[in-house]
Amino acid sequence: MTQAPATPRAIRRRHDREIVALAVPAFGALVAEPLFLIADSAIVGHLGTTQLAGLAVASALLTTAVSVFVFLAYATTAAVARRVGAGDLRAAIGQGMDGIWLALLLGAAVVVFVLPTAPTIVDLFGASPDAASSATTYLRISALGIPAMLVVLAATGVLRGLQDTKTPLYVAIAGFVANAVLNAALVYGADLGIAGSAWGTVIAQCGMAAVYLYVVVRGARRHGASLRPDAAGIRACAQAGAPLLVRTLSLRAILVIATAVAARLGDADIAAHQIVLSLWNLLAFALDAIAIAGQAIIGRYLGADDPRGARAACLRMVQWGFVSGLVLGLLVLVSRPLYLPLFTSDTSVHHVALPALMLVALGQPICGIVFVLDGVLMGAGDGPYLAWAMLLTLAVFTPVALLVPVLGGGLTAVWAAMTLMMTVRMLTLWWRTRSGRWLVTGATR
């Protein structure tokens, strides 16, 4: 008996179930990650202002380093998902192992660079001598955990490609708890000060990496995948990740330029900018969870030679992104009188922040579309286009942002430029998805 074709409503429901199953755990894991820094800050903060200032400098450097290498997760997710779609789990896990070996090599290179240069790097921030000393101590110790951090990124990409976002959630939660306990024990119990906080974080990160390696290695043995480093596979991972590295650096440059411009507008403006940017980043976690689902789902459809399914899934995820952005924007508008006092009681900062927050709220539907399409094209392995599109966006944003102090408009103008930036991203990504050139099927792109 021939089975009746699925109705459009049934297809939408299937896509919805897949998106929710992948996005919700991914969101939990994304939120758990910054809790590491919050726990460190809460524990170190009681040691004194100098130590907390040192932690702020060191953590900024570590966060930047990790964000630069986030392509290890993105590129691995897409490559593994394609092979899953093609039904070749052995090749999928083998590709994941290549990504993990690349993470180890990059992590080792970073450690070799950071250990001798830590004092020089810290001095660039212009912190006081005492704060710089604390920052150097924390940075040198924490650098030892960078290989583990990068392994976590790559292994997370492997599991996402295998359509598993629950394991990363469980590991992230366990890592956060272990980090908090170890920090408290080593900082206060062992009286190691800020060094204890760094060692606690390194141990927690190594534990997380060990769990991921156990899961991936077990899967490799089950499916007969090689655990040995493969030069060609590692080189392919690096080549796939290079465009995403350009994309990430361009985005980081945009955020740095926006902050630098806000700093030149005055103390109230930069304080308000920090509040608005923190909220913007928090909202991004929710939208990025849908993008992560997009990477895994789109890669699987294309690997299964199903471009029609990939296009339908893309459309449904865009709808999810738009509606999610609309809901988040409304929440920002409704709750803005409640959360501003949580950050500061300075009414001048409130006055500056409110118009900027209005722009953030109005721009959330655009952000929702951007995050989803970004994830779709990453899942398709369309990294070179993403790199060029982000470079174009940087080229448009930079002169507009730099004109803000000259033409006036204050922080509201800065965030108008940020909204323009997201609009340009949306247009470039939408054009690409409409063109269909990203619909390259097969186990490899």
Side-chain angles (χ1 to χ4, degrees):
M1 182 177 179
T2 303
Q3 186 177 3
T7 65
R9 185 175 182 181
I11 293 173
R12 286 196 301 270
R13 285 181 175 176
R14 185 177 72 243
H15 288 151
D16 289 345
R17 286 194 298 269
E18 286 186 326
I19 294 168
V20 170
L22 291 171
V24 172
F27 174 69
L30 288 170
V31 171
E33 290 173 8
L35 292 178
F36 271 76
L37 180 57
I38 293 174
D40 288 2
S41 300
I43 293 170
V44 172
H46 290 287
L47 293 174
T49 302
T50 298
Q51 290 86 344
L52 186 58
L55 174 65
V57 172
S59 63
L61 290 167
L62 291 166
T63 301
T64 299
V66 174
S67 66
V68 164
F69 292 115
V70 74
F71 70 85
L72 289 166
Y74 294 159
T76 305
T77 297
V80 172
R82 274 184 175 270
R83 287 161 176 79
V84 169
D88 192 348
L89 288 178
R90 178 180 178 180
I93 298 177
Q95 180 72 45
M97 286 303 305
D98 292 335
I100 290 173
W101 280 111
L102 177 61
L104 285 170
L105 291 173
L106 291 173
V110 173
V111 172
V112 170
F113 172 76
V114 169
L115 289 181
T117 61
T120 303
I121 297 172
V122 168
D123 285 343
L124 295 175
F125 281 75
S128 68
D130 289 340
S133 176
S134 294
T136 301
T137 298
Y138 190 93
L139 181 59
R140 275 182 165 156
I141 296 172
S142 294
L144 299 176
I146 287 178
M149 295 168 69
L150 299 191
V151 166
V152 167
L153 284 177
T156 299
V158 176
L159 295 181
R160 288 173 180 171
L162 294 171
Q163 317 295 297
D164 176 10
T165 56
K166 290 183 179 179
T167 300
L169 172 61
Y170 300 148
V171 175
I173 293 173
F176 165 70
V177 173
N179 178 67
V181 172
L182 287 167
N183 268 254
L186 295 175
V187 170
Y188 299 117
D191 197 24
L192 294 179
I194 193 170
S197 177
W199 280 118
T201 301
V202 168
I203 295 170
Q205 289 163 346
C206 289
M208 293 171 66
V211 172
Y212 274 118
L213 288 175
Y214 170 78
V215 172
V216 175
V217 168
R218 185 181 60 180
R221 288 176 174 171
R222 182 186 306 127
H223 297 286
S226 174
L227 299 177
R228 296 179 179 179
D230 178 69
I234 294 172
R235 187 165 54 251
C237 289
Q239 290 173 346
L244 297 180
L245 175 61
V246 173
R247 167 204 168 273
T248 301
L249 290 174
S250 300
L251 179 57
R252 295 293 300 183
I254 287 170
L255 298 177
V256 168
I257 290 170
T259 301
V261 171
R264 285 164 173 75
L265 299 176
D267 290 346
D269 291 87
I270 186 60
H273 176 73
Q274 181 61 31
I275 294 172
V276 176
L277 184 61
S278 297
L279 178 64
W280 192 76
N281 286 329
L282 178 62
L283 297 172
F285 284 131
L287 299 175
D288 200 29
I290 305 174
I292 288 171
Q295 294 171 30
I297 293 171
I298 294 300
R300 193 191 72 230
Y301 271 113
L302 294 178
D305 291 319
D306 187 1
R308 187 173 182 178
R311 190 181 285 279
C314 172
L315 176 60
R316 190 56 176 167
M317 282 184 283
V318 167
Q319 294 169 347
W320 269 78
F322 177 80
V323 172
S324 298
L326 192 63
V327 172
L328 290 174
L330 290 173
L331 287 174
V332 171
L333 289 175
V334 171
S335 61
R336 67 188 188 280
L338 301 176
Y339 56 73
L340 276 177
L342 296 176
F343 291 93
T344 178
S345 58
D346 190 335
T347 55
S348 64
V349 175
H350 292 185
H351 178 73
V352 174
L354 279 172
L357 285 172
M358 292 288 290
L359 286 174
V360 168
L362 294 174
Q364 284 308 295
I366 296 174
C367 292
I369 295 173
V370 167
F371 274 80
V372 167
L373 294 182
D374 206 38
V376 165
L377 295 184
M378 283 184 191
D382 205 10
Y385 180 82
L386 290 173
W388 284 111
M390 189 58 77
L391 287 171
L392 172 64
T393 303
L394 175 62
V396 172
F397 171 81
T398 301
V400 174
L402 294 179
L403 282 173
V404 169
V406 178
L407 300 179
L411 188 66
T412 303
V414 173
W415 279 92
M418 289 287 285
T419 304
L420 170 65
M421 178 270 293
M422 294 302 290
T423 302
V424 172
R425 289 187 69 189
M426 181 183 70
L427 293 175
T428 56
L429 297 175
W430 183 258
W431 179 84
R432 184 65 168 183
T433 53
R434 286 293 300 271
S435 73
R437 295 178 183 175
W438 56 281
L439 291 166
V440 180
T441 59
T444 58
R445 183 177 171 85

